[in-house]
Amino acid sequence: MIVLGVGASHSTLMNTHWEQTSAIDEATRFRDGLAEARRRIADAAPDAVVIVGSNHFRGFWLDLIPAFTIGVGECVASGESGTPSGPQPVAVELARHLTERLVEGGFDPAFSARLQIDHGQSHAIQYLLDGLDVPIVPVVVNVFAPPLPTLARCAELGDALRATLAKRPERVVVIGSGGLSHRLPWPDWRDPHGDDEEFMVSAWLDGRTSWSSYDQRRRAIIRAATSAINPGFDQEFLTLLKAGRSEEICALTSERLESVAGNGAQEIRTWLIMAAALGHAPADVISYDPVPDWLTGMAVAVIDPVIDPVIDPAFDPAFDPARSPA
């Protein structure tokens, strides 16, 4: 059974550029929000944690990009930018059961018995599972190599996870890692422009056995990017989450989501899967702040399937993608 859901932004710049962050109060609130979410996870006493995260071209490459992949055996973290490195404990029997039931239900996820993950999952391991002896079920969602799975399909995956886990004896926490609004200097791989974009696509295609050799320049390209956070969009999304109406985000196409909130906002698919797995119960938004030095709107939210938080009706507008400021 699912006992808790957590949505949390991630940024490796927490590890590598904390002292250089000009928005230190905002960064501290985010870090403290992660600590509070970790406390709630510990209190929930899970037997396993399903971590739904994105791929940043360190585990999957343009030679093969599934929409959804479940780790069902070995799981190795890349260890980039001070995130956890090496083998991670996997709840293998649960992962394989989930995969089998999803296939039987007509969902058809990919699976990997030797999965490499990056900070899309390992950031959550580092901060949300710190010191907790609990195995994971890693779920990787394609959010950066179009065509992407639709938001509606992601919600359906969350629904399927909920239905399957409800019948299991394990106490399970579901984490959605990624987002919120941000724009990375990453091209559409199908149509790169200029040297930097050509370099990025080359790294995504050829980096499977040598990703670290591309990392210095790739990191420099990211650090040189201009922040493009949309707090208005972020607040609307968090409003939906608080109101238990997160499925309304499915009204957006991938193209509209990117135009409003940046290509990095495609990662809210991980939050949507988590929220759907929790039955779209109302969330407790612990923290939200734009952190320009990290390029991202940074948020932490928790969904308790038993105790619903108080919802402020004054902070509950109907979601209107057309109204969200670009």
Side-chain angles (χ1 to χ4, degrees):
M1 62 177 175
I2 298 175
V3 295
L4 198 71
V6 176
S9 305
H10 58 235
S11 174
T12 58
L13 296 169
M14 277 186 70
N15 297 346
T16 61
H17 290 77
W18 181 272
E19 297 299 330
Q20 293 85 358
T21 300
S22 59
I24 192 65
D25 291 341
E26 293 86 345
T28 299
R29 281 193 291 269
F30 174 68
R31 181 195 61 194
D32 293 347
L34 291 177
E36 171 61 15
R38 181 219 171 270
R39 182 191 67 78
R40 297 196 196 184
I41 292 172
D43 288 347
D47 300 307
V49 176
V50 175
I51 303 181
V52 185
S54 49
N55 168 55
H56 301 86
F57 298 101
R58 291 187 180 89
F60 291 91
W61 310 89
L62 288 177
D63 58 0
L64 181 64
I65 301 281
F68 308 106
T69 305
I70 301 175
V72 298
E74 299 173 22
C75 177
V76 179
S78 298
E80 75 278 11
S81 305
T83 53
S85 177
Q88 305 299 314
V90 175
V92 171
E93 195 276 331
L94 177 62
R96 294 179 181 178
H97 177 84
L98 275 176
T99 305
E100 291 170 2
R101 293 296 175 268
L102 288 172
V103 170
E104 290 171 359
F107 211 90
D108 303 329
F111 67 87
S112 173
R114 184 172 291 153
L115 179 66
Q116 181 172 333
I117 58 173
D118 58 36
H119 68 273
Q121 290 77 27
S122 60
H123 193 276
I125 294 170
Q126 182 174 19
Y127 291 99
L128 295 175
L129 303 184
D130 182 33
L132 304 182
D133 184 17
V134 58
I136 66 171
V137 176
V139 180
V140 182
V141 183
N142 172 33
V143 303
F144 288 123
L148 309 180
T150 65
L151 290 162
R153 189 58 171 162
C154 291
E156 290 170 2
L157 175 57
D159 291 339
L161 289 173
R162 176 179 173 81
T164 300
L165 291 171
K167 301 174 183 179
R168 293 288 298 190
E170 299 94 341
R171 296 173 59 84
V172 178
V173 168
V174 180
I175 295 173
S177 177
L180 298 179
S181 69
H182 61 295
R183 181 171 295 281
L184 296 174
W186 288 11
D188 183 326
W189 67 272
R190 299 165 297 187
D191 187 29
H193 297 278
D195 290 343
D196 283 348
E197 291 194 358
E198 293 281 359
F199 167 81
M200 295 295 271
V201 173
S202 176
W204 298 343
L205 182 61
D206 301 325
R208 180 175 293 279
T209 59
S210 58
W211 67 264
S212 59
S213 67
Y214 293 91
D215 225 34
Q216 184 175 356
R217 181 176 173 185
R218 186 168 89 159
R219 192 78 170 169
I221 292 171
I222 293 172
R223 288 296 296 156
T226 302
S227 174
I229 302 171
N230 184 340
F233 171 85
D234 293 343
Q235 291 287 7
E236 278 212 82
F237 176 66
L238 294 173
T239 293
L240 292 178
L241 208 66
K242 289 177 66 173
R245 297 185 1 236
S246 49
E247 72 275 12
E248 293 181 29
I249 199 69
C250 294
L252 291 178
T253 63
S254 294
E255 293 75 18
R256 179 58 180 160
L257 177 57
E258 177 169 348
S259 70
V260 168
N263 58 352
Q266 305 289 2
E267 289 182 321
I268 65 169
R269 285 167 169 77
T270 68
W271 289 60
L272 180 60
I273 292 168
M274 178 277 297
L278 272 290
H280 298 287
D284 178 12
V285 177
I286 297 174
S287 69
Y288 170 74
D289 281 288
V291 182
D293 292 339
W294 296 350
L295 306 179
T296 304
M298 307 297 292
V300 181
V302 174
I303 299 179
D304 189 318
V306 178
I307 303 173
D308 291 346
V310 176
I311 304 169
D312 179 3
F315 190 57
D316 186 23
F319 178 66
D320 180 2
R323 190 180 68 245
S324 297

